[in-house]
Amino acid sequence: MERVYNFAPGPAMLPQQALETAAAEMLSYQGTGMSVMEMSHRSKGYQAIFDEAIALLRELMHIPENYTVLLLQGGATGQFAAVPLNLLKKTADYADTGNFAHGALTQAKAYGDIRCAASSREDNYTHIPEITLSMVNPEADYFYICTNNTIFGTRYPAIPQTGSVPLVADMSSNILSEPYDVSRFGVIFAGAQKNIGPAGLTVVIVRNDLLGSPSPLCPKVFNWTLQAEKGSMLNTPPTYSVYMMGLCLKWLRSQGGVEAIEQVNIEKARILYDTLDASAFYRPTAEKGSRSRMNVTFTTPSPELDAKFVSEAAKAGLVSLKGHRLVGGLRASIYNAMPIEGVVALCEFMKGFEKENA
Ligand SMILES: *Cc1c(COP(=O)(O)O)cnc(C)c1O
């Protein structure tokens, strides 16, 4: 079976080993005579799959005991509402560093007094603004960041200090790509379809002292406190996506875990940015100090050449390289499952394309 190098921003490429195991277990999971998709979420057999997925995430991210891991539905976008509905008493601070951070900020405004504490919106989000402790409202219920901006190709080079104000992070597009000290955060959440597994699953990691006082308006399915009490099974969880998450995390563990994959990710990003920096034809769009290791955004000299690049790359087995409409140009998303060979193949293609079109 011919597989392509898929540079899609999400849903994105998954580890082949995980897909192969899922295929082998499709009709009968470990002798049960049924697919995981057909198992009751209340069954003992399924509970073991669910518990193992959480245990693997805890192990790989070194999640401390005083944090609860929830596996929910509704995507990262659902959490844009869930965050204020679970944490907001009076006021909160947001850093507006991209389209998803802006969306979270706008959504939160429906629920209370929200302040934009830092922003790079006026620069079309080409960089991460500096955030110092003096910019944090000490009265804020939380401070919100998006660690990696999927559309604009930027990443926080350092996690800001927020004093005693809990830091809330949307890590959808770089969770598990590099080690983060979870104890620095009050809440981490991520939609699964970038770097965890397939779509339909949302991971929420919440410090236990932040549970217990949700807004009375919070829908039950987004109520972290209630979901924690119910083991994320207030209603039917995304059962198959959780199973796939488990398979993907087993693959990640076999690669040496987050610490080892970070080194691979640094190398992949270096190869690609080196190619961009060495060329007068391609122009990277994110500022150097804010560059993402997961989403590499760039342009050719014209929109026509961008389009030609996308279609010729696809013919060479390098697919989904079109940039987001807000940035234009091209974007190569190189999450954990993208092998280094895929990035090398892309760079070779880029050099050839430049020669023919410069
Ligand atoms: C993709 C993405 C989202 C949106 O996720 P959904 O699961 O589609 O709601 C939010 N934040 C970031 C950083 C993303 O990359």
Side-chain angles (χ1 to χ4, degrees):
M1 173 81 56
E2 190 78 4
R3 299 256 306 157
V4 294
Y5 290 121
N6 178 5
F7 294 90
M13 201 164 170
L14 293 172
Q16 184 157 329
Q17 192 182 310
L19 296 172
E20 282 167 355
T21 303
E25 294 179 337
M26 181 57 75
L27 294 182
S28 177
Y29 174 74
Q30 297 188 358
T32 56
M34 63 175 87
S35 166
V36 174
M37 272 184 259
E38 301 169 299
M39 294 173 77
S40 164
H41 62 293
R42 306 282 180 207
S43 67
K44 241 188 173 163
Y46 184 73
Q47 187 68 51
I49 293 172
F50 199 83
D51 293 345
E52 188 182 26
I54 292 178
L56 280 161
L57 189 73
R58 283 191 168 279
E59 177 190 328
L60 287 164
M61 290 184 71
H62 312 293
I63 300 173
E65 284 291 321
N66 62 323
Y67 285 73
T68 296
V69 175
L70 304 173
L71 303 182
L72 307 177
Q73 304 202 43
T77 308
Q79 295 305 311
F80 294 174
V83 166
L85 284 167
N86 281 280
L87 297 180
L88 189 63
K89 308 287 172 301
K90 259 173 81 183
T91 183
D93 279 359
Y94 277 66
D96 184 359
T97 57
N99 198 49
F100 291 118
H102 191 75
L105 185 157
T106 310
Q107 173 72 82
K109 282 183 173 168
Y111 303 109
D113 176 26
I114 301 297
R115 187 177 75 107
C116 179
S119 176
S120 51
R121 187 171 174 80
E122 298 206 330
D123 302 321
N124 201 30
Y125 300 124
T126 50
H127 63 99
I128 301 292
E130 197 190 358
I131 299 170
T132 58
L133 190 54
S134 65
M135 294 161 71
V136 178
N137 174 7
E139 302 295 313
D141 296 309
Y142 59 90
F143 192 100
Y144 182 101
I145 64 168
C146 177
T147 50
N148 184 78
N149 298 279
T150 323
I151 292 173
F152 296 91
T154 62
R155 159 188 172 272
Y156 277 74
I159 294 307
Q161 296 288 345
T162 56
S164 60
V165 175
L167 186 59
V168 173
D170 176 357
M171 275 194 196
S172 293
S173 54
N174 76 334
I175 193 168
L176 295 167
S177 71
E178 60 178 295
Y180 277 110
D181 176 359
V182 174
S183 72
R184 293 276 316 273
F185 299 86
V187 178
I188 293 168
F189 68 88
Q193 68 273 22
K194 277 83 184 230
N195 222 5
I196 299 175
L201 164 68
T202 317
V203 171
V204 180
I205 303 165
V206 53
R207 208 174 65 211
N208 291 341
D209 64 281
L210 297 173
L211 296 171
S213 48
S215 156
L217 293 176
C218 185
K220 281 186 175 183
V221 289
F222 285 153
N223 183 325
W224 298 337
T225 306
L226 203 54
Q227 286 285 18
E229 284 165 10
K230 302 280 186 187
S232 301
M233 294 217 197
L234 178 93
N235 65 331
T236 315
T239 53
Y240 197 75
S241 293
V242 173
Y243 158 75
M244 284 301 303
M245 163 179 159
L247 295 183
C248 294
L249 295 186
K250 276 181 205 166
W251 169 83
L252 179 54
R253 188 173 60 182
S254 77
Q255 302 301 298
V258 177
E259 290 75 11
I261 208 87
E262 180 192 35
Q263 296 310 314
V264 181
N265 287 331
I266 288 173
E267 181 63 5
K268 277 154 46 185
R270 186 193 65 75
I271 295 170
L272 192 40
Y273 284 116
D274 277 358
T275 302
L276 291 169
D277 289 338
S279 158
F281 182 79
Y282 299 106
R283 192 181 61 83
T285 60
E287 283 182 17
K288 260 191 183 160
S290 301
R291 284 175 168 177
S292 170
R293 298 170 178 168
M294 296 285 103
N295 312 97
V296 179
T297 52
F298 57 101
T299 60
T300 68
S302 74
E304 292 70 32
L305 282 171
D306 291 341
K308 189 178 175 194
F309 183 104
V310 171
S311 76
E312 289 197 1
K315 285 179 207 146
L318 309 164
V319 307
S320 305
L321 283 157
K322 190 175 174 353
H324 192 278
R325 68 194 147 72
L326 293 173
V327 184
L330 305 153
R331 171 175 49 173
S333 295
I334 50 174
Y335 301 115
N336 286 354
M338 173 61 67
I340 210 156
E341 293 79 11
V343 175
V344 170
L346 174 62
C347 291
E348 287 311 307
F349 173 83
M350 286 168 69
K351 287 171 194 161
F353 187 84
E354 176 174 354
K355 261 199 196 114
E356 280 168 30
N357 295 281

